[in-house]
Amino acid sequence: MSSFLSNSASVAPHRRRLASQPQLFPVGPQPSEPNMHGPKQVADRGPAPIAVGPGESASQRYAHAGATGCPPPCSGAAPAEPAAVACCGEGNNAHHHGVQVRDAEAPLVGIARLAASSPSAESVRKSEQRPEYFFLPVRSILNKCDSNRVPFEWTINPYRGCEFACKYCYARYTHEYMDLDGGEFERKIFVKQNAAALLGRDVERKYSYQRAGADDGRPEHIAIGTATDPYQPAEREYKVTRACLEELAKREGLSISVITKSNQIVRDIDVFQRIAARSELSLNITVTTLRTRLARLLEPRAPRPDLRIDAIRQLKAAGLRVGVSASPLIPGLTDREGDLEAVAAAVKDAGAEWFFSGVLFLMPSSAKQFLPFIREKFPKLARQYEQWYSRNVYPPEDYRRKIAERVAKIRIKHGFHTRPFEELQRRVQSPQLSLAWNTAA
């Protein structure tokens, strides 16, 4: 039975009180056979010249355009999950809560122009279900995150777009900055060019081994995979993530974390061990549910939950620090009594040192994909989703508070630690900010 509260009106005090229901978000039917089909291949645009105007810095154009991994500045937004949020930024398109508004007559500039002129990337994959790949020319790979709501200063996202096609993915709106629909997020994947060379330069020029405002000698933190999975299938061919890690392994005294849904992360155990010997490193695997059929519906092309748990075991056996994100917690689907607890028990047994979870939030571009999915696959949940998310990014505060309390109990029961990079930030956070942060995790 779902742990939802019975009154959803608390999400906005000024809103009309919603009619109470006997059971809020009744548990939907068990998913049918897994959906084994990925995104359909779209027509090849063919090679195009790379056009960057004189003196124009592509990195400056899109550094704040959904690429940095900071929380979206939505009015009244609740604390967001730190390892799975991105920021609405500025660019040639105006945005309101993640909704793109662009003059159709205006010429493309910045990241949208670069995307439109990106040449096709060759792929050895022949399946019609594979996405289109493009090489995206960039001027920077290390992106500054200025938000004080997250415990990291820098992000690295080796790709734009993600083939895993998670129905709930918040980062779909980042494709809108390239003048693409959010539904293209898993069908058009952009591979960042010259990432390793750019990262080496970026660390030299931008990174600080002494965090601003801190007197504890701690370095700034780099989070990898905040807006796109660094170990999606594209990584097998293009190896951008591996190249970035190799570059980071050359240095010492860094603070780095990685988050992924893929067991492909074990491929890089050797370079992780080299990084961990010289810098602070923490690895995070996302496991939202242990129910394989449900996972296949929600995360169509991501590896099965059991494969991710086995990856945790391998990383731990290799002497690496690894924890688990159970985010997002999806109302009515992954919040059933015992489900979250089962995930925590399984990953603890595999060697996870920390565990966190934040409730689903839906920016408009994500809602555009997720709500029709709910209406089709889980119609009994549709009405409540419409009430909770049609005009709000987050579900009611009371529900989020209950989930936070539940996660806190799980952490205590299994003896989970605090995430390493979050602990680094606590010494400089205000008590109020720390409290708000813990509410979401």
Side-chain angles (χ1 to χ4, degrees):
M1 179 176 180
S2 172
S3 63
F4 279 154
L5 306 178
S6 60
N7 179 13
S8 61
S10 60
V11 65
H14 64 279
R15 291 181 56 188
R16 176 175 59 85
R17 185 179 180 86
L18 301 175
S20 60
Q21 299 183 34
Q23 182 181 6
L24 193 58
F25 271 136
V27 175
Q30 285 289 328
S32 55
E33 289 302 311
N35 175 12
M36 300 302 292
H37 300 290
K40 295 292 184 182
Q41 183 180 19
V42 295
D44 188 355
R45 294 186 300 182
I50 299 173
V52 180
E56 179 182 7
S57 169
S59 62
Q60 291 175 351
R61 289 286 190 178
Y62 76 89
H64 300 289
T68 61
C70 308
C74 301
S75 176
E81 169 50 48
V85 289
C87 64
C88 305
E90 60 187 15
N92 65 301
N93 304 319
H95 279 243
H96 176 66
H97 289 219
V99 178
Q100 177 173 278
V101 180
R102 185 179 76 85
D103 184 349
E105 302 300 322
L108 296 176
V109 298
I111 187 65
R113 187 173 73 171
L114 291 177
S117 62
S118 293
S120 295
E122 293 296 326
S123 173
V124 298
R125 298 173 63 187
K126 303 302 181 184
S127 169
E128 292 185 357
Q129 282 72 45
R130 70 172 176 84
E132 274 191 299
Y133 295 119
F134 302 93
F135 285 124
L136 184 67
V138 296
R139 299 288 182 86
S140 178
I141 194 71
L142 188 65
N143 299 293
K144 182 67 174 178
C145 184
D146 295 320
S147 174
N148 61 1
R149 292 170 54 203
V150 292
F152 48 79
E153 290 80 15
W154 300 97
T155 66
I156 296 174
N157 289 291
Y159 304 92
R160 288 185 74 100
C162 181
E163 189 179 345
F164 286 162
C166 300
K167 299 299 184 181
Y168 49 75
C169 182
Y170 76 93
R172 292 180 178 277
Y173 81 93
T174 61
H175 258 41
E176 293 178 352
Y177 286 99
M178 299 189 295
D179 207 44
L180 297 172
D181 185 82
E184 301 273 40
F185 189 72
E186 62 263 29
R187 295 191 290 269
K188 292 182 184 289
I189 310 298
F190 292 81
V191 182
K192 295 184 180 179
Q193 288 185 302
N194 303 318
L198 291 171
L199 180 57
R201 183 208 63 185
D202 286 349
V203 172
E204 293 293 334
R205 295 181 180 180
K206 300 179 180 181
Y207 186 80
S208 175
Y209 293 85
Q210 173 67 49
R211 289 167 47 245
D215 57 2
D216 55 7
R218 296 288 188 176
E220 294 177 332
H221 186 77
I222 302 171
I224 302 175
T226 55
T228 184
D229 200 298
Y231 287 101
Q232 61 180 287
E235 174 62 15
R236 293 191 182 96
E237 291 195 67
Y238 306 108
K239 299 179 174 60
V240 182
T241 301
R242 173 79 185 197
C244 289
L245 293 173
E246 290 281 5
E247 187 63 35
L248 295 174
K250 298 176 183 177
R251 291 163 170 77
E252 62 181 340
L254 305 174
S255 177
I256 304 165
S257 65
V258 181
I259 187 164
T260 181
K261 285 188 177 77
S262 178
N263 60 327
Q264 188 186 174
I265 190 175
V266 302
R267 179 203 66 184
D268 292 336
I269 283 179
D270 63 324
V271 69
F272 286 138
Q273 289 174 326
R274 282 186 275 133
I275 292 174
R278 307 178 70 185
S279 298
E280 295 175 343
L281 174 68
S282 58
L283 307 175
N284 300 270
I285 308 293
T286 297
V287 183
T288 53
T289 180
L290 297 183
R291 291 185 281 161
T292 303
R293 290 188 296 171
L294 178 59
R296 183 61 66 199
L297 281 175
L298 293 171
E299 305 154 355
R301 297 187 66 82
R304 299 192 315 264
D306 61 303
L307 297 178
R308 303 180 216 176
I309 292 174
D310 186 58
I312 296 169
R313 190 171 288 108
Q314 292 183 58
L315 293 169
K316 182 65 175 179
L320 298 166
R321 301 197 65 185
V322 58
V324 166
S325 165
S327 297
L329 186 80
I330 303 177
L333 293 179
T334 64
D335 70 337
R336 300 192 317 182
E337 286 297 329
D339 278 11
L340 191 61
E341 290 76 8
V343 171
V347 301
K348 180 66 176 181
D349 182 67
E353 297 182 32
W354 55 89
F355 179 87
F356 58 96
S357 182
V359 178
L360 174 72
F361 71 97
L362 289 177
M363 296 178 69
S365 57
S366 302
K368 179 181 176 182
Q369 305 297 323
F370 189 72
L371 295 182
F373 163 77
I374 289 293
R375 287 192 290 268
E376 177 186 358
K377 298 296 184 181
F378 303 96
K380 291 183 179 180
L381 306 182
R383 179 184 177 190
Q384 196 62 56
Y385 265 92
E386 294 290 348
Q387 290 177 331
W388 276 17
Y389 288 103
S390 62
R391 288 182 291 174
N392 298 279
V393 173
Y394 288 88
E397 182 181 353
D398 286 348
Y399 175 75
R400 287 185 277 114
R401 182 179 297 110
K402 288 290 186 181
I403 294 300
E405 293 171 355
R406 184 175 171 186
V407 172
K409 290 179 181 178
I410 289 173
R411 285 173 165 169
I412 293 173
K413 177 180 178 180
H414 293 285
F416 285 115
H417 306 308
T418 301
R419 284 166 286 179
F421 69 91
E422 184 178 349
E423 184 63 33
L424 302 182
Q425 192 79 347
R426 286 189 171 183
R427 300 185 185 183
V428 296
Q429 286 181 330
S430 68
Q432 182 176 0
L433 180 59
S434 297
L435 177 62
W437 191 256
N438 289 336
T439 302

